[in-house]
Amino acid sequence: TYSLSQELESHSGAVRTISITDNNILLSGSWDTTCAIYLFDPKDHRYVLDKTLAYHSRPVYCSCAMLDSKGFFTGGDDGKIFAIDVIGNPLLMFEGHQKAVNSLSQCIPTEFASGSWDGTCRVWDVETGKCKHILGDHSHAVSVLTLPNGMLITGSQDKNINFWNNGQKVATFQAHGDIIRDIIPIKDVGFATCSNDETIRMWDMSGKLLQTLKGHNGFIYGLSQTSLGEIVSCSEDNTVKVWKNGAFTDSISHPATIWTVKVNCFGDIVTACEDKSVRVFTKDPVRMASEVQQAEYKNKCIAKSASKLNVAELPDVSQTSKIIGKKEGEIKLFRNGNSPEVHVWKMEGQKWEKMGDVMGPAPSQKDYYEGDDFFPAGYYDYIFNIDIKNQGEKKLPFNRGSIPLEEAEKFVEREQIHRVFVEEISSYIRNNLDQVQTYMAQPPPEPVAPVIPIAKPEPKPEPKKTKHFPMTFSVLYDSINTDNPLKKITEFNALIKTNEKFKQYAMTLTDEMTLKTLLETIKNKSLYSTSKFTEQQFELLEQKLLKWPFENVFPVIDVLRMMLMHPVIQAFFGTYEKGVDFFTNVLRCLKPEAPDPLIITTLRCMCNMYEGNSTAYAITKMMKFVLSQFQFIADHKNKNVVNTSVALILNASIKELTKKESDLKIELLNAAEMLIDKDISADSLVNLGYVIGNILSLGSDKACIMKSGGLLQKMQKRLITIAEADRSKVYLSRYKYPRWKRQSLSLIHI
């Protein structure tokens, strides 16, 4: 029988997939969006974490080892597939699926197949990344199996098995009573399938049913096979079962749902579990965990099973003499009255001994749900009330043993609300299985900075408030266009590779993949509440791209400008000085010799830094230097440069309102004075007025007030000139007698 060998806890979310190469390199993929690679240590007989990868922007759902054992394919909720080598370097990205990728299979060196929630299977060319065939006619998630002869087998929510050859369907038949979850080859027999109907079915290659295996009490999610021909299955009933000759010979308990099961080269069973763990089970005493570790693990499984317990279905304690245990130490639950008890099998004496009582909630009375297209009518353990803003309360039926994540996904699809709510609703279900209450579906909060020492923001003073001042709305450049920067960076990277001075900063293939995932995160604004940037992405920017020469770096600065609109960037720069160090790379671009596009994008990037506390701290530290060099900006011949500089000093004046004591008042007024006679837009002139108004709101000294008065007189003349040049009523009403002008003069009199 199998015993625990080790537990790997490298993820912060449910582990959804594992794959193992023939040379025993292990990969896991998780809801936390990362993959982990483990190497086997032959001395310690254990897997050891080698590295964590963050190429996907959404949860990782599936994986498979490459046929040559030189790497893996991974697929995720972002609809993307990555090919990576065994040390974690990305080799190629495959794009085309419209929804999550949930199944992968390779049996021919030149191609592999993928199944997706978009109802299609795709066949891909391994070398080029191009899609060779799109196989439709499925329902929702598609499971795939490739065969050495080029044939392909698929199954999906429509319960059918389909045979395909060269992109054409050649046969189909109904195989199960519910969703088909996994398909694996069975040596010298044919193939096996598993389903939500709680059965495993064995088929020959003609589609003839050979055998049906029953024993799980829940959806069956995955299958594998040992070298001895045994079938291994995993289920939401928290068990892995080993099958031989039509019956299960071993059942391995887990604390939670098992999503994937594999068998490694030693014959050990490896599992991916909902509780964020990868586990290895073995028959070899050399690789077994200590007795203490095994006992702790058994207790963990017993404790978790308490919340799912249906006491009425347990055998009565009077049956202990009639039920024979299968192995020493086997754990079984019996009912004593209305209370469950834990018993252990002792080979010596051939009897069950009581270990203790199960402490947990009593099963609740089931409630009836009328049913819909996603949840069948019937009695459920729970019916949660989900309050959707502007739509009222909606019912979410749930049974013990169901997967919170899957039920949340069905609910979100039924109600046509954004997938951003899936994880939060599923988490709510997990945390409230024994306390039903109303849940308000609201967008998740912005990411919180890490719990590390940070500079505390200074308390805001109370500036003088009037009808029009202070102006507190920053000017932000928040447009998102990732295609142009990607095109330019790729083009410039080719030049950098041939530049002897800068070729050390050229992107590698791995870097190119990292950049693409970064831009994908920026592009998907609807996912900002859950998506995040990775350390690898920031390292690529800081250590390579921001080091490029002036004539090539402007698209990189534009990428950073867009990143600043993502809320998670404030958490990354949770330690304020970290932001100062990083953005010093941006400050170097603000030089007279820099090309116009670079100066413009740099100024826009600096404007966006005022969007959050961490980055605003960094730009505030840098503004003293910027204003000391401001003359070349004000004198610039490019109007876009000059107009953008007005936005920058306006944002700086807004930040000054939050300080106990402003140290940039006179410098900002000097900058405004440099700009006031320049050929700037009327909107920029108005913004200069807001700069002055904000400075006066701070209770400025006599020197500031005198300078402000002179600037206001100049601005009034400029605005009247603009108004007279355009006789439209709009300009006359807006600029000849602007409200801010009257308000600023009243502040001067104060």
Side-chain angles (χ1 to χ4, degrees):
T1 59
Y2 287 91
S3 298
L4 179 70
S5 172
Q6 68 175 125
E7 295 180 277
L8 301 167
E9 298 176 337
S10 305
H11 290 288
S12 60
V15 185
R16 293 296 299 264
T17 181
I18 49 175
S19 292
I20 311 171
T21 63
D22 291 341
N23 52 353
N24 211 21
I25 298 174
L26 170 64
L27 174 136
S28 61
S30 168
W31 178 265
D32 66 12
T33 76
T34 69
C35 292
I37 291 179
Y38 308 86
L39 304 180
F40 191 79
D41 183 348
K43 294 181 180 179
D44 196 35
H45 306 289
R46 297 288 184 272
Y47 286 103
V48 178
L49 178 65
D50 181 53
K51 63 179 60 176
T52 300
L53 314 174
Y55 299 124
H56 287 280
S57 58
R58 301 282 294 162
V60 183
Y61 285 155
C62 60
S63 62
C64 77
M66 291 181 181
L67 202 60
D68 56 8
S69 292
K70 293 183 179 179
F72 302 90
F73 297 103
T74 65
D77 192 42
D78 54 12
K80 293 179 173 52
I81 302 164
F82 287 93
I84 61 176
D85 63 23
V86 291
I87 60 174
N89 295 318
L91 305 174
L92 203 58
M93 181 168 66
F94 303 81
E95 296 183 278
H97 281 299
Q98 302 304 304
K99 292 185 179 180
V101 181
N102 62 275
S103 182
L104 292 165
S105 177
Q106 185 186 29
C107 206
I108 298 175
T110 57
E111 65 183 36
F112 73 97
S114 60
S116 167
W117 288 2
D118 64 14
T120 69
C121 166
R122 289 179 178 248
V123 181
W124 305 88
D125 187 297
V126 171
E127 295 297 326
T128 66
K130 293 182 179 179
C131 180
K132 299 170 67 174
H133 302 293
I134 301 177
L135 314 180
D137 199 21
H138 299 93
S139 176
H140 300 294
V142 181
S143 296
V144 299
L145 171 66
T146 55
L147 301 173
N149 62 3
M151 294 280 287
L152 189 68
I153 302 176
T154 62
S156 69
Q157 191 167 321
D158 62 13
K159 313 167 190 177
N160 293 335
I161 284 292
N162 307 289
F163 288 86
W164 305 81
N165 189 18
N166 198 29
Q168 300 297 315
K169 186 188 292 188
V170 295
T172 185
F173 62 91
Q174 184 169 334
H176 282 275
D178 208 330
I179 302 170
I180 297 171
R181 290 286 188 169
D182 197 14
I183 313 170
I184 65 166
I186 302 298
K187 187 177 180 181
D188 301 326
V189 175
F191 63 97
T193 57
C194 64
S195 167
N196 281 9
D197 65 11
E198 303 181 0
T199 68
I200 302 163
R201 300 191 177 185
M202 312 279 285
W203 313 85
D204 67 15
M205 293 311 299
S206 70
K208 179 183 177 182
L209 178 62
L210 303 176
Q211 195 174 41
T212 299
L213 309 180
K214 296 181 179 180
H216 280 293
N217 296 313
F219 299 165
I220 305 173
Y221 290 127
L223 299 172
S224 192
Q225 187 179 27
T226 70
S227 59
L228 299 176
E230 299 162 311
I231 301 296
V232 185
S233 59
C234 64
S235 168
E236 69 165 356
D237 66 7
N238 296 8
T239 69
V240 166
K241 296 190 184 298
V242 182
W243 304 80
K244 188 174 182 178
N245 299 325
F248 67 86
T249 59
D250 202 352
S251 184
I252 307 171
S253 296
H254 283 67
T257 294
I258 309 101
W259 288 103
T260 309
V261 61
K262 297 292 180 184
V263 179
N264 68 15
C265 60
F266 298 122
D268 295 346
I269 292 174
V270 187
T271 62
C273 192
E274 175 74 15
D275 70 349
K276 310 175 187 178
S277 297
V278 175
R279 293 186 176 87
V280 185
F281 299 87
T282 185
K283 291 183 177 181
D284 189 338
V286 174
R287 293 191 296 277
M288 287 182 184
S290 68
E291 291 185 4
V292 172
Q293 290 172 319
Q294 293 191 50
E296 288 176 350
Y297 177 68
K298 287 180 180 179
N299 290 335
K300 187 189 299 185
C301 294
I302 292 170
K304 288 291 184 181
S305 67
S307 61
K308 294 186 176 183
L309 205 54
N310 189 337
V311 179
E313 294 180 358
L314 296 177
D316 190 84
V317 70
S318 62
Q319 302 296 309
T320 53
S321 60
K322 299 178 182 179
I323 298 175
I324 307 301
K326 296 179 180 179
K327 61 180 180 178
E328 176 72 22
E330 180 183 348
I331 303 294
K332 193 170 184 65
L333 300 179
F334 290 88
R335 173 172 47 85
N336 189 351
N338 292 321
S339 302
E341 295 179 348
V342 184
H343 290 250
V344 60
W345 178 252
K346 297 293 186 179
M347 294 298 290
E348 183 179 351
Q350 292 286 293
K351 62 179 181 179
W352 295 97
E353 287 188 3
K354 181 180 176 180
M355 290 179 62
D357 299 313
V358 175
M359 303 303 294
S364 59
Q365 183 177 353
K366 293 195 175 189
D367 295 315
Y368 185 77
Y369 181 70
E370 62 275 12
D372 55 51
D373 291 340
F374 291 82
F375 300 93
Y379 287 92
Y380 287 82
D381 292 318
Y382 303 95
I383 296 181
F384 294 102
N385 293 315
I386 309 296
D387 191 353
I388 302 176
K389 190 175 182 180
N390 301 326
Q391 295 185 37
E393 288 189 357
K394 304 293 181 180
K395 302 292 185 183
L396 194 167
F398 187 86
N399 274 323
R400 288 189 180 90
S402 296
I403 307 304
L405 179 63
E406 291 206 341
E407 301 308 292
E409 287 170 344
K410 286 159 62 176
F411 177 84
V412 164
E413 187 171 354
R414 186 191 72 185
E415 299 301 331
Q416 293 295 294
I417 59 178
H418 201 277
R419 283 185 54 78
V420 72
F421 296 117
V422 168
E423 174 60 13
E424 196 171 4
I425 293 175
S426 64
S427 177
Y428 166 78
I429 295 172
R430 288 192 297 269
N431 294 332
N432 294 274
L433 285 181
D434 295 287
Q435 183 179 353
V436 180
Q437 56 186 341
T438 298
Y439 167 73
M440 179 69 74
Q442 295 180 346
E446 290 186 0
V448 180
V451 185
I452 50 180
I454 61 173
K456 294 182 179 179
E458 300 172 11
K460 295 181 180 180
E462 288 295 327
K464 292 183 180 180
K465 293 182 179 179
T466 63
K467 186 175 181 180
H468 305 291
F469 295 98
M471 162 60 72
T472 58
F473 298 101
S474 300
V475 177
L476 302 174
Y477 294 87
D478 56 1
S479 63
I480 301 295
N481 179 356
T482 58
D483 293 338
N484 290 341
L486 176 60
K487 182 179 178 181
K488 276 294 181 185
I489 292 173
T490 303
E491 174 188 328
F492 289 156
N493 190 56
L495 299 176
I496 296 295
K497 288 179 179 179
T498 62
N499 187 320
E500 288 298 323
K501 184 178 178 181
F502 291 95
K503 65 180 182 181
Q504 60 183 312
Y505 303 122
M507 290 192 297
T508 63
L509 181 59
T510 300
D511 294 333
E512 290 176 9
M513 300 300 290
T514 300
L515 176 65
K516 287 180 180 179
T517 56
L518 165 68
L519 294 174
E520 192 66 29
T521 301
I522 293 173
K523 185 178 180 180
N524 291 327
K525 295 178 69 174
S526 62
L527 303 178
Y528 274 15
S529 59
T530 55
S531 62
K532 59 185 179 182
F533 299 118
T534 67
E535 288 282 355
Q536 291 167 303
Q537 292 165 352
F538 280 104
E539 287 174 3
L540 173 62
L541 290 171
E542 187 173 22
Q543 297 176 13
K544 286 191 175 181
L545 301 187
L546 287 171
K547 306 291 187 183
W548 283 8
F550 280 169
E551 61 268 23
N552 304 125
V553 77
F554 76 86
V556 180
I557 301 295
D558 199 39
V559 168
L560 189 54
R561 171 193 66 80
M562 293 185 284
M563 289 177 71
L564 285 162
M565 303 313 299
H566 195 303
V568 79
I569 201 167
Q570 301 304 323
F572 184 84
F573 294 116
T575 49
Y576 291 160
E577 294 301 334
K578 185 177 181 181
V580 175
D581 293 341
F582 183 89
F583 286 104
T584 300
N585 293 289
V586 177
L587 187 60
R588 78 175 183 91
C589 300
L590 209 58
K591 297 287 182 64
E593 61 269 25
D596 291 3
L598 178 57
I599 297 176
I600 293 169
T601 53
T602 300
L603 289 170
R604 289 175 176 175
C605 182
M606 289 179 167
C607 286
N608 286 3
M609 288 175 68
Y610 283 101
E611 175 66 356
N613 287 338
S614 299
T615 53
Y617 176 87
I619 184 61
T620 301
K621 286 285 188 180
M622 295 156 54
M623 274 305 291
K624 202 85 172 176
F625 175 80
V626 173
L627 293 172
S628 70
Q629 306 290 312
F630 203 75
Q631 189 66 58
F632 92 85
I633 299 173
D635 292 341
H636 209 283
K637 295 180 180 179
N638 190 309
K639 290 183 180 180
N640 288 327
V641 170
V642 181
N643 285 318
T644 309
S645 71
V646 175
L648 179 62
I649 64 170
L650 172 60
N651 290 359
S653 73
I654 293 170
K655 183 62 180 176
E656 291 302 292
L657 298 171
T658 68
K659 294 183 178 181
K660 279 185 176 180
E661 188 172 338
S662 172
D663 57 350
L664 290 179
K665 289 188 292 187
I666 196 67
E667 287 88 346
L668 288 171
L669 289 175
N670 287 339
E673 187 174 28
M674 296 177 198
L675 293 165
I676 199 156
D677 291 323
K678 304 299 180 183
D679 186 14
I680 57 177
S681 68
D683 283 334
S684 291
L685 274 173
V686 172
N687 284 339
L688 282 179
Y690 286 128
V691 172
I692 298 167
N694 283 347
I695 300 302
L696 293 172
S697 296
L698 292 168
S700 301
D701 53 31
K702 186 175 181 180
C704 286
I705 293 174
M706 294 299 293
K707 183 178 283 289
S708 298
L711 291 175
L712 286 169
Q713 290 177 0
K714 288 184 178 181
M715 292 178 66
Q716 178 70 353
K717 293 178 181 178
R718 287 289 312 279
L719 291 170
I720 292 175
T721 301
I722 292 173
E724 290 176 345
D726 188 330
R727 293 293 178 179
S728 71
K729 292 181 180 179
V730 174
Y731 270 85
L732 285 171
S733 62
R734 181 176 181 185
Y735 296 128
K736 191 169 184 179
Y737 301 105
R739 291 180 180 177
W740 62 262
K741 190 265 181 182
R742 297 195 302 271
Q743 194 62 44
S744 298
L745 289 175
S746 69
L747 282 167
I748 291 175
H749 290 308
I750 292 173

